[in-house]
Every structure is written in structure tokens, then in C-alpha cells.
């Protein structure tokens, strides 16, 4: 798949336990981390905004607070144990993922990870955290999205094929579509391009393939790009997802809730979806003093640092095999 060679992952089989005695529940979390950058400058990327001497004053102490906030967010998505798969959006590089899985509050969770190396000008990528005891990757690839004329380079799509505890093969795609900067209508073809690339890859799989597509699509459920995905038999299982502490969607802008984060599954996996909801634990929210109600407790409000977690709330989908 894609223009790169398929990367084969060799993981010792003693890390993978197969059980035939009981049903398996698998939990997937999707989370936009809101600019999870380190404090070092990559000379090939436009990341100077996220340095100690920048206007944001992105210092090591702020970076590590953010790292632990993201770890806390992920851990809160499951009452017992930890989520099996975590699709992350807006992570800068391998250094950040290593720190998140080895040195943050997630350090004892046992996560491994895979991520893209995209041509995005700011250097942001997508990643998949996984529990090697419940999900064993078999191979992975980056699906490049060739920009249209006048379009900035965007994030690659991460593709991971893996096996669950009971031997079910899952095909997981992690997406971060281009933003609406410049206007929703003017940038609509950019997001359609990502949808086209996704369907092109999925149609190469078996019609019975168990597919999960998760990420930030920068579009609501009824947008042309997402309707296009549904017209190709993918089901948006988070379309009606809500929180239990006031969140009506994963994102809030100028007082209006809107879900731009989504999880889609193929027909072969639809009956396995047990639950889909938004994790809006109280510590992930703050009072919206201007418009009323609550909103995600983000790291920055404009340029003002406020110690929050993210401007997006996590989606949680539980599967029963």
C-alpha cells in the first residue's frame, strides 16, 4: 500500500497471548493532542513557535506538564486497565512519542507506538499507540497524500494491519485531514483528497476486511468528504457520540459544539461496536465564561498559557469480539 515499501514488524510471540476461552473487548481512543511539540528546533520544519524563547514560551516545564496531561487523558478513558489502541493526532516526532510512552504518566502502561514521517511544514504527524498483549501489528505503511496545486503539504495517513487477541485481523487508518484555514469551501477539495486516498487504499483490501478509520477530519459528519466515505460503506459510529458532563461534541468554537473527530468502521466490524462516546471527564473541561456551559480545557487560549490538556476531547469506541 502507498508508495513506500511495506514495513514488517517483528514482535516476539511471547509478548502476544492468545485466548480461546472468552470474548475479547477492545477499546480504541482517538485524541487530537493540540500541538504536542518538544522544545527543540527542527531546522527542516516551521516549529519556532514551540521553543522556550518564542512568544508562547514553550519551556521544558510546560512541555512535561502537557505530556502528563495527555497521559492522564488517555488513562481516564478506561476504568480498568488501559485502552488497547490510541489514535493520536498533532504529535511532532518520535522524541515526543518516546517521552509520552516511557517517561510520562503512561510509562507503566506498556504502550508501543507507530507514527508517520510526513511532509507537513510544521512537522506534525499522527501515531498509533498499542498494547502488544492485545494487538500485534503485522505490518504498517504511510499513505502519502499528494497536494493539489497551491495546497500545502499535508499529513500522511498511517496504516497498520494487526491481529487481536483472538486472531481477528484489523486494518487501522489514522488520519489528520487539512484544516479549514482559508475558508471551509475553499479548502474542501483538500479534505476530499484525503477521503479519496483512504478509499483507494481500503478498496484494495478484501470486502470482508475489518477496517477502522480514526482521526481529526476537520469536517463535520455531513460534510461532502465524510458523506463520500459513508457512500463507500464505511459507517461513522461516533456520529451521535456525546459526553456525560456537558460535551455535545469533541470541539467547541465560539460557543458552538462540533465534532470534527470521527471513527469509521467497515461493515464487517459494525456488529462488534459495543459503545461509542466522548470522554468529557470534569478535569478535561472548563467553564465557558463567554458563551456559557463548558468547553475543552485547552493548553493555550490564544497566546495565553492555561495549563490545560487539549482543545479536543477524546472519542472512545469499545469493540466486542
Amino acid at each position: 500500500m502507498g508508495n513506500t515499501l511495506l514495513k514488517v514488524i517483528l514482535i516476539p510471540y511471547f509478548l502476544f497471548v492468545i485466548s480461546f476461552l472468552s470474548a475479547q473487548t477492545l477499546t480504541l481512543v482517538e485524541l487530537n493532542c493540540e500541538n504536542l511539540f518538544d522544545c527543540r528546533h527542527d531546522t527542516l520544519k516551521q516549529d519556532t513557535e514551540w521553543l522556550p524563547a518564542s512568544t508562547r514560551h514553550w519551556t521544558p516545564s510546560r512541555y512535561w506538564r502537557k505530556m502528563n496531561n495527555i497521559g492522564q487523558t488517555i488513562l481516564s478513558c478506561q476504568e480498568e486497565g488501559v485502552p488497547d489502541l490510541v489514535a493520536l493526532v498533532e504529535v511532532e516526532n518520535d522524541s515526543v512519542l518516546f517521552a509520552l510512552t516511557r517517561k510520562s504518566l503512561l510509562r507503566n502502561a506498556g504502550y508501543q507506538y507507530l507514527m508517520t514521517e510526513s511532509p507537513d511544514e510544521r512537522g506534525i504527524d499522527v501515531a498509533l499507540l498499542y498494547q502488544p498483549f492485545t494487538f500485534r501489528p503485522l505490518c504498517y505503511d504511510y499513505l502519502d497524500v499528494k497536494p493539489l496545486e497551491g495546497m500545502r503539504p499535508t499529513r500522511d495517513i498511517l496504516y497498520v494491519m494487526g491481529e487481536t487477541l483472538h486472531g481477528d485481523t484489523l486494518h487501522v487508518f489514522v488520519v489528520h485531514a487539512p484544516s479549514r484555514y482559508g475558508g471551509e469551501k475553499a479548502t474542501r477539495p483538500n479534505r476530499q483528497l484525503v477521503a479519496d486516498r483512504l478509499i483507494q487504499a481500503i478498496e484494495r483490501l478484501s470486502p470482508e476486511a475489518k477496517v477502522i478509520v480514526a482521526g481529526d477530519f476537520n469536517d463535520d459528519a455531513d460534510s461532502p468528504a465524510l458523506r463520500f466515505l459513508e457512500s463507500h460503506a464505511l459507517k461513522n459510529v461516533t456520529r451521535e457520540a456525546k459526553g456525560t458532563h456537558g460535551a455535545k461534541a469533541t470541539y467547541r468554537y465560539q460557543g458552538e459544539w462540533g465534532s470534527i473527530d470521527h471513527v469509521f468502521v467497515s461493515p464487517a466490524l459494525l456488529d462488534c461496536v459495543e459503545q461509542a462516546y466522548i470522554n468529557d471527564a470534569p478535569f478535561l473541561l472548563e467553564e465557558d465564561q463567554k458563551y456559557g456551559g463548558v468547553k475543552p480545557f485547552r493548553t493555550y487560549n490564544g497566546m495565553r498559557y492555561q495549563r490545560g490538556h487539549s482543545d479536543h476531547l477524546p472519542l472512545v469506541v469499545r469493540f466486542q469480539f
Side-chain angles (χ1 to χ4, degrees), residues 8-195:
V8 178
I9 305 165
L10 301 177
I11 294 179
Y13 277 88
F14 66 83
L15 290 178
F16 187 67
V17 181
I18 298 180
S19 169
F20 298 97
L21 300 179
S22 61
Q24 180 203 353
T25 299
L26 183 141
T27 301
L28 167 83
V29 170
E30 184 279 336
L31 174 64
N32 182 316
C33 298
E34 188 198 2
N35 298 310
L36 189 55
F37 281 80
D38 61 23
C39 302
R40 297 188 297 270
H41 178 43
D42 183 342
T43 57
L44 300 177
K45 299 296 183 180
Q46 298 174 12
D47 63 353
T48 54
E49 180 181 1
W50 300 98
L51 298 175
S54 72
T55 54
R56 289 191 183 275
H57 304 292
W58 189 240
T59 60
S61 63
R62 291 183 176 185
Y63 167 68
W64 282 107
R65 180 183 292 275
K66 171 80 170 186
M67 196 67 69
N68 283 321
N69 282 350
I70 295 299
Q72 182 187 21
T73 301
I74 293 170
L75 292 173
S76 73
C77 290
Q78 187 151 311
E79 291 184 4
E80 296 182 5
V82 296
D84 302 280
L85 299 174
V86 185
L88 294 180
V89 175
E90 286 196 18
V91 291
E92 184 185 16
N93 52 35
D94 181 82
S95 174
V96 166
L97 267 295
F98 182 84
L100 179 65
T101 56
R102 301 295 186 272
K103 299 180 180 181
S104 77
L105 290 177
L106 286 181
R107 61 186 176 274
N108 295 321
Y111 280 114
Q112 302 293 324
Y113 64 87
L114 297 165
M115 70 177 303
T116 56
E117 297 176 4
S118 302
D120 178 86
E121 292 175 347
R122 296 175 60 219
I124 57 176
D125 282 290
V126 300
L128 182 71
L129 309 186
Y130 64 90
Q131 284 292 319
F133 286 97
T134 57
F135 181 80
R136 181 168 66 96
L138 302 173
C139 61
Y140 74 102
D141 201 359
Y142 314 145
L143 308 181
D144 60 325
V145 181
K146 295 181 179 178
L148 301 170
E149 184 177 355
M151 174 183 167
R152 291 182 298 178
T154 191
R155 281 73 60 174
D156 291 345
I157 299 167
L158 177 64
Y159 165 69
V160 182
M161 181 176 74
E163 193 174 22
T164 69
L165 195 63
H166 272 263
D168 291 279
T169 299
L170 297 182
H171 302 266
V172 183
F173 296 82
V174 185
V175 176
H176 187 191
S179 74
R180 297 185 176 195
Y181 182 76
E184 186 278 327
K185 188 173 182 179
T187 57
R188 193 178 294 172
N190 302 345
R191 292 183 293 281
Q192 182 64 48
L193 191 66
V194 172

Side-chain angles (χ1 to χ4, degrees), residues 188-203:
R188 193 178 294 172
N190 302 345
R191 292 183 293 281
Q192 182 64 48
L193 191 66
V194 172
D196 292 340
R197 187 69 178 93
L198 262 173
I199 294 304
Q200 181 186 48
I202 291 170
E203 287 185 338

Side-chain angles (χ1 to χ4, degrees), residues 207-255:
E208 292 77 33
K210 295 179 178 178
V211 177
I212 301 173
V213 181
D216 180 351
F217 290 80
N218 273 304
D219 259 334
D220 59 48
D222 291 319
S223 67
L226 270 60
R227 289 203 306 267
F228 174 77
L229 295 181
E230 292 195 294
S231 73
H232 285 76
L234 291 177
K235 176 67 174 178
N236 187 345
V237 296
T238 54
R239 174 185 279 269
E240 305 298 330
K242 297 288 187 295
T244 56
H245 294 90
K248 299 178 181 178
T250 57
Y251 186 77
R252 199 177 195 205
Y253 179 68
Q254 295 183 349

